[in-house]
Each structure stands twice: as structure tokens, then as C-alpha cells.
Amino acid sequence: MVVNPKDTLWVEHGDVEFTPEDMSEKKDAEGNSVWPNLDFERAVSIGFFFNSEYMYGLPGREFSFRLPYTDEQSGPYRLFNQGYSTFGTNTPANLYGSAPYLTSHATDHDASVAWLNSADTFVDLTAARINRVKGTLATFVSEAGAIEFFTMGSSLHPQRVQKSLADITGYIDLPPMHALGFHFSKWADISADIVIERS
């Protein structure tokens, strides 16, 4: 993994317009920018080059397990907690929450990055080549905050990378007994009688 390839580090000072090259080129079919109009007055950005085309992570979306590259139509992956009453299937839009964790897998190594910024964040995945090595350039752009991240890697097994993440963030608890059983969505059209009947 290469941190800050192609000079992707960007920290806003408050009076400078934020228009990195890769953002200004992203347009939809009608010529509008796919990046929403956010207050990027204190924006931060940095990129990571993974020498693999197989990218995974950024959970919290109804999409394929392997992350495809972003393009003009799909736009960047958005990391922001929000609730939708309805959402489409097979879409890169985030559902309720998001985890800013990205990992790559190759035949001889695995590498990951955990981005620690709670502001509205966008992740752009593009094909890249550095020193004749094909891979993926992942650019994180956050609306505000500081640049904080953890990088992890292993040439032995992917489990070592996942264990490093768990050592940093903590291990997942088993669900409590009362959480097992019938669940319903807060958006579902369901009556109290049905809930009592199924409980």
C-alpha cells in the first residue's frame, strides 16, 4: 500500500475552493457534478494506492461483496449515517450506517485502511498504475475534521488483517438472547396485534 500517491493529500484552510482534479471531472449524464454541494470549507482528503484490483469493505450497503470502481454514473461511495424509508436493491448507496474500512486482497498479501473521521465522507475507487504496478487508488474526502487512519497489512493470511482491525476497534459481542427471534422494520406497515401475536 502507498499512502498519498500522486499528491492526493489535501487540507482546506477555509478560504480556498476545494476542487481536486478527480472531483471536478465527475459529471452525470446531464453534465452536473455527482459530488453534492457540501460545505467543504474545512475539507480533508488523502488517497491510498492498493496494488490489487480486488477491493472489499465499506459495509452498510445493499451491493456486491466486491466493490466495483466508481464512475460518472454511480458517483463516489458515501459514508454518512442516515435512515431511508425505502431503498433500491443492488445500489452503492449506504443504508443506515457505514463503516469506513477498506481492504484489498491479492494472491500474496492483504492490505487495509480504517479511516477515522465522523464527518460526511466520500470514497472514490479508480483504477491506477504506479511504477508499472496495476492497482486501485482509493481517495477519501471528508467534509471536515482531521486526517486520522490506521493501515494494516499481512503477507501471511487475511485473518491477520481482520485481527488487527479487531484489536483497534474491539471485538463484536454475541447478540443477547432477547434479540433473537422476530424482528420488524420501523418502516413496515404492521399493527400492534401482529407484534403481540409473533412475540
Side-chain angles (χ1 to χ4, degrees), residues 56 72 95 100 133 151 158 193:
Y56 305 94
E72 290 80 13
L95 301 178
V133 176
T151 58
D193 294 334

Side-chain angles (χ1 to χ4, degrees), residues 9-179:
L9 174 66
W10 189 277
V11 179
E12 279 298 316
H13 301 291
D15 298 327
V16 182
E17 186 178 344
F18 186 62
T19 54
E21 286 182 27
D22 59 336
M23 287 180 62
S24 60
E25 295 174 1
K26 298 265 184 198
K27 306 283 185 191
D28 63 11
E30 298 170 1
N32 300 320
S33 174
V34 298
W35 296 83
N37 282 330
L38 297 172
D39 179 20
F40 282 114
E41 190 172 297
R42 302 272 187 256
V44 294
S45 171
I46 194 168
F48 303 90
F49 176 76
F50 298 90
N51 50 344
S52 172
E53 298 173 1
Y54 299 96
M55 303 300 295
Y56 305 94
L58 305 178
R61 52 198 83 242
E62 204 309 288
F63 206 45
S64 65
F65 187 57
R66 178 181 172 197
L67 295 173
Y69 293 136
T70 55
D71 57 18
E72 290 80 13
Q73 293 179 344
S74 68
Y77 296 102
R78 185 176 186 186
L79 305 177
F80 194 67
N81 295 340
Q82 50 194 344
Y84 295 112
S85 60
T86 60
F87 53 87
T89 58
N90 200 23
T91 176
N94 59 322
L95 301 178
Y96 297 111
S98 57
Y101 176 71
L102 193 60
T103 187
S104 70
H105 177 71
T107 56
D108 58 346
H109 70 278
D110 294 275
S112 298
V113 63
W115 180 256
L116 302 178
N117 191 318
S118 61
D120 202 354
T121 300
F122 298 89
V123 181
D124 199 20
L125 298 179
T126 55
R129 184 182 295 268
I130 294 181
N131 297 335
R132 293 181 293 184
V133 176
K134 286 177 58 176
T136 303
L137 177 64
T139 306
F140 285 78
V141 180
S142 290
E143 184 179 17
I147 295 178
E148 296 181 66
F149 58 88
F150 287 97
T151 58
M152 296 147 277
S154 173
S155 60
L156 300 176
H157 201 278
Q159 286 180 339
R160 287 185 176 245
V161 176
Q162 301 302 319
K163 184 180 182 320
S164 297
L165 176 68
D167 289 342
I168 293 167
T169 61
Y171 291 88
I172 299 172
D173 294 328
L174 290 174
M177 289 296 289
H178 69 272

